[in-house]
Amino acid sequence: MSACSRAGRSRPDEVATRAPVVVVSEKYARAFWPGLDPLGRRPSDVADDMPASEVIGVVEDVPWSINPPRYFGAAALFEPLSDRSRAELLVRMAGGSAPTSVLRDALGALDPGRRTRMIRIRDRMTGSLRLHAVFASVAGALGALALSLAFVGLFGVTAFVVGLRRREIGIRLAIGAARADVIGLVFREGMRPVVIGLAAGLALAMAGAQVFTGLLTGGVGPRDPAALVSAITVLLAAGAAGVFLPARRVLGIQPSEVLRES
């Protein structure tokens, strides 16, 4: 990007006449005028839906919005602020937080007589992400409920199957089958639908991941490996527990009692 002779500040005559001028980010300039000096050009010459304003400066790619934070480095076009009372200044301090009075004095020296309201980015982001937090809490609660119902269902079905196959299991034990082998057989058969359902659910989740892209923040993508591995681990653990616990009822089956019952 070539050096800009003007840093993006309007001249007094431009301010007085409200001249149509804009400042663009480096990413915006690279997208519209690759390899060219954007100063003096107009975005409307490239795209009809862009403003017919003169570019007077290029600034570094900056987080022009903290709501949502993923907009960092987005291609941005900045127009003059018609209402200066709505102006916002993002201040980054090194070496800890400076007293509020220091910032007020510094801003007062730049624009005497203007009242300044201080808001920490942490507080602003907490407020802007409140809706996301509520949605995440509701989704988490529904997910926990669904997981609990799945666990109870697997437990009940496996226990029912063990009861139905009590005679078969007793005969297997009577002819010399180890209890561990019988438990393993019941466990494998019980986990088969869990694995099939998990594979189908993972495929659907990957296919529909982009739908939830707008709800994700904090650098988490719709196909985040850590989140997917964690979800798979939790589901497999819950499924294994729901199948293994009732499968252990095999330990209480006595072959002699089963054969006498028949």
Side-chain angles (χ1 to χ4, degrees), residues 28 32-33 42-52:
Y28 190 100
F32 274 72
W33 306 284
R42 300 179 183 274
S44 59
D45 296 337
V46 182
D48 295 336
D49 57 344
M50 290 289 105

Side-chain angles (χ1 to χ4, degrees), residues 6 10-19:
R6 298 176 63 186
S10 299
R11 294 191 301 262
D13 60 319
E14 292 172 338
V15 174
T17 60
R18 295 186 179 181

Side-chain angles (χ1 to χ4, degrees), residues 7-262:
R9 177 179 297 179
S10 299
R11 294 191 301 262
D13 60 319
E14 292 172 338
V15 174
T17 60
R18 295 186 179 181
V21 293
V22 293
V23 174
V24 299
S25 65
E26 292 182 346
K27 188 173 183 178
Y28 190 100
R30 289 193 300 268
F32 274 72
W33 306 284
L36 301 176
D37 187 352
L39 291 181
R41 301 181 184 274
R42 300 179 183 274
S44 59
D45 296 337
V46 182
D48 295 336
D49 57 344
M50 290 289 105
S53 304
E54 179 186 357
V55 176
I56 63 172
V58 180
V59 296
E60 295 180 358
D61 296 331
V62 295
W64 57 270
S65 173
I66 62 173
N67 182 26
R70 66 178 178 276
Y71 281 169
F72 179 83
L77 181 147
F78 303 95
E79 297 179 315
L81 189 64
S82 58
D83 184 4
R84 295 184 61 191
S85 63
R86 298 174 54 192
E88 293 185 357
L89 179 65
L90 185 63
V91 180
R92 179 182 180 183
M93 296 172 291
S97 300
T100 303
S101 58
V102 175
L103 292 176
R104 290 186 186 278
D105 294 341
L107 294 174
L110 295 174
D111 196 352
R114 183 168 298 279
R115 298 182 59 183
T116 304
R117 185 165 63 102
M118 301 290 181
I119 302 176
R120 295 188 305 175
I121 292 182
R122 182 184 307 169
D123 298 335
R124 174 74 68 82
M125 293 187 67
T126 299
S128 64
L129 296 177
R130 186 172 292 113
L131 182 60
H132 295 270
V134 171
F135 179 83
S137 300
V138 173
L142 293 176
L145 178 60
L147 185 63
S148 301
L149 293 175
F151 173 82
V152 172
L154 283 172
F155 187 98
V157 170
T158 306
F160 180 73
V161 170
V162 171
L164 288 179
R165 301 178 62 180
R166 189 168 182 270
R167 175 178 171 79
E168 174 194 342
I169 293 173
I171 295 175
R172 287 176 181 272
L173 295 175
I175 61 178
R179 293 184 183 273
D181 293 338
V182 177
I183 293 176
L185 175 64
V186 176
F187 180 80
R188 288 192 298 272
E189 292 180 353
M191 285 298 293
R192 186 177 296 116
V194 174
V195 175
I196 294 175
L198 184 59
L202 182 61
L204 291 175
M206 296 296 289
Q210 293 299 328
V211 176
F212 300 96
T213 301
L215 301 175
L216 301 176
T217 58
V220 178
R223 297 183 177 88
D224 183 68
L228 291 175
V229 171
S230 300
I232 293 173
T233 302
V234 171
L235 292 174
L236 283 178
V243 173
F244 179 75
L245 292 178
R248 292 180 70 251
R249 293 187 177 185
V250 172
L251 299 175
I253 297 178
Q254 299 299 327
S256 57
E257 295 180 0
V258 173
L259 293 177
R260 281 198 303 268
E261 291 174 358
S262 59

